[in-house]
Amino acid sequence: MIMALKDKKTDTKKPSLFFQSLKHAVDGILHVLKVERNFKIDIIVSIIVIIVSFYYKISHAEWLWVIFSIFFSYYS
């Protein structure tokens, strides 16, 4: 345990690690879009809902419900 604390180096590569993590996340989303048919349908329906919401000029509270519903549909 003590040796592990001594060997710990200062982390000077945080920005590059962040961008590397971001790249992996984007690669994962693109992979899911290529492979999963239902995810493609979810994305299309979400875009349609957002466009219709802009058309009807919904209130801020209604936008919160729309965003909540979109995220809930992805995680359920």
Side-chain angles (χ1 to χ4, degrees):
M1 180 81 152
I2 294 173
M3 299 228 12
L5 292 175
K6 287 181 182 178
D7 292 337
K8 199 173 202 179
K9 297 179 181 177
T10 56
D11 197 15
T12 59
K13 294 186 177 184
K14 279 192 177 187
S16 65
L17 290 177
F18 172 75
F19 290 120
Q20 184 179 12
S21 298
L22 191 63
K23 181 188 177 306
H24 289 302
V26 170
D27 288 343
I29 291 171
L30 293 176
H31 174 72
V32 171
L33 277 171
K34 290 178 187 173
V35 175
E36 296 291 331
R37 180 178 59 108
N38 289 339
F39 191 73
K40 290 178 191 176
I41 294 170
D42 283 344
I43 293 291
I44 291 169
V45 169
S46 298
I47 291 170
I48 291 171
V49 166
I50 290 171
I51 290 170
V52 169
S53 298
F54 274 118
Y55 178 76
Y56 284 112
K57 298 175 182 154
I58 63 174
S59 68
H60 293 302
E62 291 169 334
W63 269 110
L64 290 174
W65 283 109
V66 167
I67 292 169
F68 173 76
S69 300
I70 289 171
F71 283 118
F72 184 72
S73 71
Y74 292 134
Y75 291 113
S76 61

